[in-house]
Each structure stands twice: as C-alpha cells, then as structure tokens.
Amino acid sequence: MVKRPGQATKSSASGRPVMVLLEALGKRWALRVIWELSNNNPCTFRELQSLCEEVSPTSLNNRLKDLRQLGLVELTSHGYALTNYGRSLSDLLLPLDRWANDWADWLA
Amino acid sequence: MVKRPGQATKSSASGRPVMVLLEALGKRWALRVIWELSNNNPCTFRELQSLCEEVSPTSLNNRLKDLRQLGLVELTSHGYALTNYGRSLSDLLLPLDRWANDWADWLA
DNA sequence: CTTGACGCTACGTAAATTGTAGCACAATAA
DNA sequence: TTATTGTGCTACAATTTACGTAGCGTCAAG
C-alpha cells in the first residue's frame, strides 16, 4: 500500500525520505489523523472516525494501515496512538494551527 | 475545487482554518509542489512537471489552481512562484527534510 | 512561415475514496 | 444462557479523483 523510505514510489523514484514522507502525508486523512491523535491520545477506531468527520471505515483503516507501517501510529491495548516518532512529527506540525489562523485572516 | 478557510468541506464541516489547510495539503502533489517551489523559484509549468516525477499536466494544473486559489502560489511573468504566505508555509515544512532522514534511519 | 517553448485542455482509462451494511470477537449485563 | 453493547474491521457498488496521451492556442525567435 504505502511505501517506506528507500523504496521507489510513483511520486518519488529516488525513495528519498522526505519525498516518501510528503507522498504519505499527501494521502487523504493522513495529516488529519495525525493531528487528531496528537490531541486525543489514545483513541479508538470509532472515536477517530467521529473526530474525522465520520470518515468511512474503509478509508480510515487504509490510512491507519499506512501510518502503522510507517511507524508513526500503533494500536495499543487502549486504542490507536502516536508512536514516539509519530509524536515528534506531530510536534513539527503544531505551528500549522497558528499559521492557518493568520492565513485565514489574510485571505478574508 | 478546493475550499478556503471558513468554508465547510467534506473533511471539515467547521471550516476551521487548520482543518481546511490539512485537507488542502492532503491532496496529491500539493505538498510536493510547495516543496519543489521552495527550492526552485520561480519555475515554469513544465519544469515543475519534471521536478514532480513527470506528473500529468491535468493533475499538476488542478493542484496549481488550488494553491493559487489559496493564495500560496502565483503565476508571475517568470513562472510559478510561492507567494509570501506560501513561502512562510514552506518555511514551516523545511524541518521535515531532516526529520525524514532520521526517521528513515530509524526505520531501516 | 517555421520552429520551439509556453501554459494548459480533452478524453478515455485506472486508481483511490466513499457510503452503507454488516461480520467476528470480547466484555457486560439480564 | 442469552442478549446487548462496544470493539476493529471488511464487502461491495458507486462516486470522485488522478492518470497517460495527444494536442491546441499563443507567442517569440530564427
């Protein structure tokens, strides 16, 4: 399904890590799932579903498979949670919230 | 096509800016185009195409339409370029390169 | 005028995503 | 035992998105 760093993908023949990452994060709901997990940790499948606008279970499961394979998310006994690496990635994304607010003001 | 902050989308009924952003960045080639433009500024349509693994012109054009509508990219007399806001967003994404390298080492 | 580069579109095909229904399993309560 | 509830998740048909190829219209240079 999803490709790991080093593996050639349609969006990155080189397999260069950042390209593989950008492709993985560019799939629908990927960024959103990471975002929601960073604020709701851990989280059941159905909780995640409702946090993500009632996304279809098929899509959510596909995305979760990807993120688990990439070592960003894991399924624990208490539900889905970010791994340490997933957490470090979500930390990098945190500034997007403030940025988006400024952006929205500017666009308005 | 793409939605702007404040507008309800399938991925964000609220229209909350960060959600709209995450949805926009979650479309294929969106992150990659921003990434390539941050290193190649400005850039012709065909240059962008080859930087993005020969993405189809249909897809590239759709994504560029989105990004222009969101005020992140503009078409200047010298080619496609990030706007000031687009640049400030790409600056937030820069750390992803280093992060992805560490991540790849850890996954290996 | 022809050649080349530009941004971009048309069109048919392939792939991803969706919505709905519901399965298999485990824990809880009657 | 039986029923109920909650869990993660799958099947399937339909819609939406992305794709690959060909090529258009424009413009500047030769």
Side-chain angles (χ1 to χ4, degrees):
Chain A
M1 211 101 194
V2 78
K3 296 296 169 44
R4 292 163 57 116
Q7 297 181 325
T9 76
K10 282 195 180 173
S11 300
S12 173
S14 66
R16 184 180 157 200
V18 69
M19 298 308 176
V20 173
L21 176 67
L22 294 182
E23 179 173 1
L25 298 182
K27 292 186 142 189
R28 197 160 189 202
W29 299 111
L31 282 166
R32 177 67 174 266
V33 164
I34 293 172
W35 185 268
E36 295 299 343
L37 280 181
S38 74
N39 297 322
N40 304 276
N41 204 351
C43 207
T44 70
F45 188 94
R46 284 171 146 95
E47 281 171 343
L48 259 182
Q49 220 185 327
S50 72
L51 286 169
C52 295
E53 319 281 338
E54 303 299 344
V55 55
S56 77
T58 318
S59 303
L60 179 57
N61 191 40
N62 281 337
R63 217 50 59 230
L64 285 172
K65 276 182 196 165
D66 293 349
L67 296 175
R68 289 168 77 177
Q69 199 163 343
L70 296 176
L72 303 177
V73 168
E74 59 190 351
L75 177 54
T76 74
S77 56
H78 300 83
Y80 283 98
L82 293 172
T83 63
N84 288 341
Y85 258 89
R87 171 66 62 185
S88 71
L89 176 59
S90 78
D91 286 346
L92 289 182
L93 301 178
L94 284 183
L96 289 181
D97 190 23
R98 179 179 206 137
W99 184 92
N101 285 328
D102 295 345
W103 170 61
D105 290 344
W106 170 73
L107 270 182
Chain B
M1 213 104 195
V2 77
K3 296 294 169 46
R4 293 162 58 117
Q7 297 181 325
T9 76
K10 282 194 180 172
S11 299
S12 172
S14 66
R16 183 180 158 200
V18 69
M19 298 308 177
V20 173
L21 177 66
L22 293 183
E23 180 173 1
L25 298 182
K27 293 188 143 189
R28 196 161 190 201
W29 299 111
L31 282 167
R32 177 67 173 265
V33 164
I34 292 171
W35 184 269
E36 295 299 342
L37 280 181
S38 74
N39 297 321
N40 304 275
N41 205 350
C43 207
T44 70
F45 187 93
R46 285 171 146 95
E47 281 170 345
L48 259 182
Q49 222 185 326
S50 71
L51 285 170
C52 294
E53 320 280 337
E54 303 299 345
V55 55
S56 77
T58 318
S59 304
L60 178 57
N61 192 39
N62 282 337
R63 216 51 58 230
L64 285 171
K65 276 183 196 166
D66 293 349
L67 296 175
R68 289 167 78 177
Q69 199 163 345
L70 296 176
L72 303 178
V73 168
E74 59 189 350
L75 177 53
T76 73
S77 56
H78 300 82
Y80 282 100
L82 293 172
T83 63
N84 288 341
Y85 258 89
R87 170 66 61 185
S88 71
L89 175 60
S90 78
D91 286 346
L92 290 182
L93 301 178
L94 285 183
L96 289 181
D97 191 22
R98 179 178 205 134
W99 184 92
N101 285 328
D102 295 345
W103 170 61
D105 290 344
W106 170 72
L107 272 181

